[in-house]
Amino acid sequence: MAQKHDIAVLPGDGIGPEVMIEALKVLDLVEKEYDVTFVRTFGNLGGVAIDEEGKALPQTTIDLCRASEAVLLGSVGGPKWEHLPPMEQPERGGLLPLRKLFGLYANLRPAIIFPSLVEASVLKKEIIGDGMDILVIRELTGGLYMSQPKGIEGTAPDREGIDTLRYSEAEIKRIGHVAFQAAMKRQKKLTSVDKANVLASSVLWREIMISLSAEYPEVELSHMYVDNASMQLVRNPKQFDVLLTENMFGDILSDEASALTGSLGMVPSASLAEGSFGVYEPAGGTAPDIAGQGIANPIAQVLSMALMLRFSFNMIEAADRVDAAVEKALEAGYRTGDIFFGNPGEKKVSTSAMGDAIAANF
Ligand code: NAD
């Protein structure tokens, strides 16, 4: 009997709905090839939810996500909603509470430069060679952004701003296992990024990572201070396979790694909860400058869908095939405007034509 999975589809704002159509186009083919049905229920998140249901994360959307095994998300936000109080805006009022509500503690961002797109990278060809493939894993629910106490205390001119950086052994172990397991499926190299020369939380982080490594003897574990890691990412990114970091360091390093790929339209992400539930979305935003023109790059959304197959549904072969289809479409010269350089063999195409090219190569 065909397998059936329930997924929530939240296309979001700006280019979100345009690129989501292309990801679902490829998902249609996965269904046919693998005798599986993804029951897709659409919901509102972000600006569209404010317009239609009065708030960025409506109860209907929370209920829908609770009833689903995974959430495929477009980006949210845009100038239309920037006048609202910060906590009511699409990201602060929609996306962040969604992440918190579902305990999404592990954020995975592959930063890949495909061989045919070496030119798109901001780095020189001598550094990138024939491409790059790094997986940045960021702890998402602890650390400096989340720990208590936090706030501004006292009265001016003697106020103090307070943030706390706290990690428990259990939190470090939980994200550590995710990183080791991801490394096992890749090149088996894991770099744990910390600041153990200054921060007590990093000393504990490093100690726990070393103790966990006994369970993964095949994985080569190394440690790097965060300042050096940010430098090594631009000097010699090819030394990395999996990079693991705490929340704030990961916020910064994952953006840096994404920037190396040349276009935000290429970078997918997965945010995982315990068990198999996950939220899958492009790393970039809603691109208001090009929204509605049918020219956005759908690859980040398509690759986010592939991450959903990989992590929530353990459909590794199907996920590999989606990734390969993207690579083949690029090798065949298909380019949306953000990755078009006018070189011989390149064909500048629309969002839907790029989706068609990926589908044709699946
Ligand atoms: P952005 O990522 O939307 O755009 C930055 C640049 O990248 C723009 O030039 C845009 O055209 C380009 N770009 C991004 N995705 C692309 C794609 N798929 N194809 C082609 N080009 C692409 O960042 P921004 O302009 O800072 O933010 C715009 C809106 O998106 C803001 O409201 C912001 O709050 C929101 N945002 C949302 C998320 C999210 O939902 N996760 C993340 C970042 C920004």
Side-chain angles (χ1 to χ4, degrees):
M1 205 176 72
Q3 276 202 341
K4 183 173 91 61
H5 293 301
D6 292 309
I7 64 168
V9 180
L10 313 178
D13 307 315
I15 61 167
E18 300 168 44
V19 292
M20 184 64 82
I21 290 172
E22 304 313 314
L24 297 179
K25 197 184 267 178
V26 182
L27 191 62
D28 288 342
L29 297 180
V30 174
E31 286 185 319
K32 282 196 193 114
E33 291 276 323
Y34 290 89
D35 197 20
V36 53
T37 304
F38 292 96
V39 180
R40 308 150 197 202
T41 309
F42 285 75
N44 293 321
L45 181 77
V48 64
I50 295 170
D51 290 352
E52 293 189 10
E53 301 185 51
K55 58 199 283 201
L57 177 58
Q59 189 60 41
T60 46
T61 300
I62 296 173
D63 294 343
L64 165 61
C65 294
R66 285 219 169 100
S68 303
E69 297 167 72
V71 180
L72 191 57
L73 200 72
S75 307
V76 300
K80 186 177 175 191
W81 303 280
E82 275 166 13
H83 68 282
L84 293 172
M87 297 310 289
E88 292 173 24
Q89 289 187 14
E91 278 181 277
R92 296 268 294 274
L95 196 55
L96 301 189
L98 181 81
R99 287 179 181 158
K100 200 165 174 197
L101 207 59
F102 287 91
L104 304 171
Y105 71 94
N107 181 249
L108 279 63
R109 243 201 237 186
I112 300 171
I113 300 175
F114 293 102
S116 51
L117 269 189
V118 165
E119 200 182 344
S121 175
V122 291
L123 295 183
K124 291 183 198 148
K125 267 192 184 154
E126 302 91 90
I127 291 176
I128 290 298
D130 58 354
M132 176 192 97
D133 184 353
I134 302 174
L135 177 63
V136 181
I137 301 184
R138 165 187 172 194
E139 203 289 330
L140 205 56
T141 50
L144 197 60
Y145 291 173
M146 301 296 197
S147 311
Q148 295 295 329
K150 186 183 246 334
I152 298 175
E153 289 183 359
T155 46
D158 296 316
R159 288 178 298 168
E160 284 184 319
I162 300 161
D163 294 288
T164 305
L165 174 43
R166 187 189 294 269
Y167 269 109
S168 69
E169 290 198 23
E171 284 174 303
I172 303 168
K173 277 186 190 149
R174 188 171 66 164
I175 193 77
H177 280 299
V178 171
F180 274 109
Q181 282 160 18
M184 285 294 288
K185 292 182 190 153
R186 294 171 48 100
Q187 303 304 312
K188 301 190 172 62
K189 274 181 70 182
L190 171 58
T191 308
S192 173
V193 174
D194 62 38
K195 191 71 183 165
N197 50 343
V198 184
L199 299 174
S201 57
S202 283
V203 172
L204 183 65
W205 181 283
R206 194 176 279 216
E207 189 188 299
I208 300 292
M209 288 305 294
I210 291 169
S211 71
L212 282 188
S213 69
E215 295 176 45
Y216 302 92
E218 287 173 57
V219 177
E220 182 195 319
L221 171 69
S222 61
H223 308 272
M224 194 177 277
Y225 295 141
V226 62
D227 38 353
N228 188 25
S230 77
M231 187 169 68
Q232 293 300 328
L233 264 175
V234 288
R235 289 183 72 146
N236 180 17
K238 287 169 77 91
Q239 69 186 288
F240 297 121
D241 176 24
V242 178
L243 260 181
L244 169 68
T245 83
E246 64 89 46
N247 201 344
M248 184 181 69
F249 298 159
D251 190 8
I252 299 164
L253 292 184
S254 61
D255 264 13
E256 186 184 349
S258 300
L260 302 183
T261 66
S263 172
L264 277 171
M266 299 291 298
V267 187
S269 84
S271 300
L272 309 178
E274 284 189 66
S276 58
F277 184 85
V279 173
Y280 303 88
E281 59 180 312
T286 56
D289 52 335
I290 57 167
Q293 299 176 33
I295 58 172
N297 187 345
I299 289 179
Q301 191 76 60
V302 172
L303 293 177
S304 298
M305 184 276 286
L307 289 176
M308 176 184 82
L309 298 176
R310 197 177 291 283
F311 289 104
S312 281
F313 302 116
N314 204 25
M315 295 179 66
I316 309 297
E317 188 196 294
D320 285 345
R321 277 187 60 184
V322 175
D323 291 352
V326 167
E327 195 165 352
K328 283 185 211 154
L330 291 169
E331 276 165 15
Y334 291 94
R335 302 278 188 274
T336 43
D338 56 314
I339 50 173
F340 178 77
F341 298 97
N343 292 329
E346 287 186 359
K347 295 180 269 266
K348 193 172 183 179
V349 296
S350 65
T351 307
S352 69
M354 181 59 106
D356 289 343
I358 296 167
N361 282 287
F362 180 74

PDB file of all heavy atoms in Angstrom, residues 145-157:
ATOM      1  N   TYR A 145      21.073  33.792  23.021  1.00  0.00           N
ATOM      2  CA  TYR A 145      19.808  34.377  22.573  1.00  0.00           C
ATOM      3  C   TYR A 145      18.632  33.988  23.478  1.00  0.00           C
ATOM      4  O   TYR A 145      17.614  34.667  23.491  1.00  0.00           O
ATOM      5  CB  TYR A 145      19.482  33.935  21.135  1.00  0.00           C
ATOM      6  CG  TYR A 145      20.406  34.514  20.079  1.00  0.00           C
ATOM      7  CD1 TYR A 145      20.313  34.094  18.763  1.00  0.00           C
ATOM      8  CD2 TYR A 145      21.373  35.463  20.399  1.00  0.00           C
ATOM      9  CE1 TYR A 145      21.165  34.613  17.785  1.00  0.00           C
ATOM     10  CE2 TYR A 145      22.213  35.982  19.435  1.00  0.00           C
ATOM     11  CZ  TYR A 145      22.107  35.553  18.136  1.00  0.00           C
ATOM     12  OH  TYR A 145      22.940  36.062  17.169  1.00  0.00           O
ATOM     13  N   MET A 146      18.755  32.886  24.166  1.00  0.00           N
ATOM     14  CA  MET A 146      17.588  32.342  24.874  1.00  0.00           C
ATOM     15  C   MET A 146      17.739  32.267  26.393  1.00  0.00           C
ATOM     16  O   MET A 146      16.745  32.191  27.107  1.00  0.00           O
ATOM     17  CB  MET A 146      17.291  30.914  24.368  1.00  0.00           C
ATOM     18  CG  MET A 146      17.025  30.838  22.892  1.00  0.00           C
ATOM     19  SD  MET A 146      15.524  31.753  22.474  1.00  0.00           S
ATOM     20  CE  MET A 146      15.170  31.108  20.862  1.00  0.00           C
ATOM     21  N   SER A 147      18.984  32.232  26.914  1.00  0.00           N
ATOM     22  CA  SER A 147      19.165  31.949  28.340  1.00  0.00           C
ATOM     23  C   SER A 147      18.698  33.111  29.211  1.00  0.00           C
ATOM     24  O   SER A 147      18.743  34.267  28.818  1.00  0.00           O
ATOM     25  CB  SER A 147      20.641  31.672  28.643  1.00  0.00           C
ATOM     26  OG  SER A 147      21.182  30.745  27.738  1.00  0.00           O
ATOM     27  N   GLN A 148      18.283  32.775  30.407  1.00  0.00           N
ATOM     28  CA  GLN A 148      17.897  33.764  31.414  1.00  0.00           C
ATOM     29  C   GLN A 148      19.006  33.866  32.469  1.00  0.00           C
ATOM     30  O   GLN A 148      19.717  32.897  32.685  1.00  0.00           O
ATOM     31  CB  GLN A 148      16.576  33.343  32.076  1.00  0.00           C
ATOM     32  CG  GLN A 148      15.394  33.328  31.117  1.00  0.00           C
ATOM     33  CD  GLN A 148      15.029  34.699  30.567  1.00  0.00           C
ATOM     34  OE1 GLN A 148      15.209  35.710  31.235  1.00  0.00           O
ATOM     35  NE2 GLN A 148      14.545  34.739  29.330  1.00  0.00           N
ATOM     36  N   PRO A 149      19.175  34.992  33.193  1.00  0.00           N
ATOM     37  CA  PRO A 149      18.413  36.220  33.060  1.00  0.00           C
ATOM     38  C   PRO A 149      18.804  37.032  31.825  1.00  0.00           C
ATOM     39  O   PRO A 149      19.901  36.900  31.309  1.00  0.00           O
ATOM     40  CB  PRO A 149      18.765  36.987  34.336  1.00  0.00           C
ATOM     41  CG  PRO A 149      20.116  36.495  34.712  1.00  0.00           C
ATOM     42  CD  PRO A 149      20.169  35.071  34.278  1.00  0.00           C
ATOM     43  N   LYS A 150      17.870  37.886  31.431  1.00  0.00           N
ATOM     44  CA  LYS A 150      18.021  38.694  30.227  1.00  0.00           C
ATOM     45  C   LYS A 150      17.213  39.969  30.417  1.00  0.00           C
ATOM     46  O   LYS A 150      16.139  39.935  31.011  1.00  0.00           O
ATOM     47  CB  LYS A 150      17.439  37.874  29.067  1.00  0.00           C
ATOM     48  CG  LYS A 150      17.599  38.448  27.692  1.00  0.00           C
ATOM     49  CD  LYS A 150      16.891  37.539  26.705  1.00  0.00           C
ATOM     50  CE  LYS A 150      17.740  36.823  25.700  1.00  0.00           C
ATOM     51  NZ  LYS A 150      18.987  37.315  25.278  1.00  0.00           N
ATOM     52  N   GLY A 151      17.693  41.081  29.961  1.00  0.00           N
ATOM     53  CA  GLY A 151      16.894  42.304  30.054  1.00  0.00           C
ATOM     54  C   GLY A 151      17.745  43.527  30.360  1.00  0.00           C
ATOM     55  O   GLY A 151      18.973  43.440  30.447  1.00  0.00           O
ATOM     56  N   ILE A 152      17.072  44.662  30.504  1.00  0.00           N
ATOM     57  CA  ILE A 152      17.762  45.898  30.866  1.00  0.00           C
ATOM     58  C   ILE A 152      17.288  46.275  32.270  1.00  0.00           C
ATOM     59  O   ILE A 152      16.083  46.357  32.525  1.00  0.00           O
ATOM     60  CB  ILE A 152      17.447  47.018  29.857  1.00  0.00           C
ATOM     61  CG1 ILE A 152      17.954  46.596  28.468  1.00  0.00           C
ATOM     62  CG2 ILE A 152      18.086  48.339  30.289  1.00  0.00           C
ATOM     63  CD1 ILE A 152      17.601  47.568  27.350  1.00  0.00           C
ATOM     64  N   GLU A 153      18.259  46.441  33.175  1.00  0.00           N
ATOM     65  CA  GLU A 153      17.904  46.699  34.577  1.00  0.00           C
ATOM     66  C   GLU A 153      18.405  48.048  35.024  1.00  0.00           C
ATOM     67  O   GLU A 153      19.361  48.591  34.474  1.00  0.00           O
ATOM     68  CB  GLU A 153      18.523  45.614  35.467  1.00  0.00           C
ATOM     69  CG  GLU A 153      17.836  44.273  35.292  1.00  0.00           C
ATOM     70  CD  GLU A 153      18.411  43.211  36.225  1.00  0.00           C
ATOM     71  OE1 GLU A 153      19.354  43.529  36.980  1.00  0.00           O
ATOM     72  OE2 GLU A 153      17.907  42.081  36.170  1.00  0.00           O
ATOM     73  N   GLY A 154      17.784  48.566  36.096  1.00  0.00           N
ATOM     74  CA  GLY A 154      18.241  49.807  36.700  1.00  0.00           C
ATOM     75  C   GLY A 154      17.607  51.020  36.053  1.00  0.00           C
ATOM     76  O   GLY A 154      16.691  50.908  35.228  1.00  0.00           O
ATOM     77  N   THR A 155      18.110  52.191  36.466  1.00  0.00           N
ATOM     78  CA  THR A 155      17.581  53.443  35.903  1.00  0.00           C
ATOM     79  C   THR A 155      18.734  54.232  35.298  1.00  0.00           C
ATOM     80  O   THR A 155      19.869  54.190  35.787  1.00  0.00           O
ATOM     81  CB  THR A 155      16.903  54.294  36.997  1.00  0.00           C
ATOM     82  OG1 THR A 155      17.764  54.324  38.137  1.00  0.00           O
ATOM     83  CG2 THR A 155      15.549  53.747  37.399  1.00  0.00           C
ATOM     84  N   ALA A 156      18.415  54.975  34.229  1.00  0.00           N
ATOM     85  CA  ALA A 156      19.436  55.768  33.531  1.00  0.00           C
ATOM     86  C   ALA A 156      20.002  56.810  34.489  1.00  0.00           C
ATOM     87  O   ALA A 156      19.274  57.329  35.338  1.00  0.00           O
ATOM     88  CB  ALA A 156      18.791  56.453  32.331  1.00  0.00           C
ATOM     89  N   PRO A 157      21.266  57.137  34.470  1.00  0.00           N
ATOM     90  CA  PRO A 157      22.254  56.693  33.491  1.00  0.00           C
ATOM     91  C   PRO A 157      23.052  55.454  33.938  1.00  0.00           C
ATOM     92  O   PRO A 157      24.143  55.226  33.452  1.00  0.00           O
ATOM     93  CB  PRO A 157      23.175  57.906  33.400  1.00  0.00           C
ATOM     94  CG  PRO A 157      23.187  58.446  34.802  1.00  0.00           C
ATOM     95  CD  PRO A 157      21.833  58.161  35.385  1.00  0.00           C
TER      96      PRO A 157
END
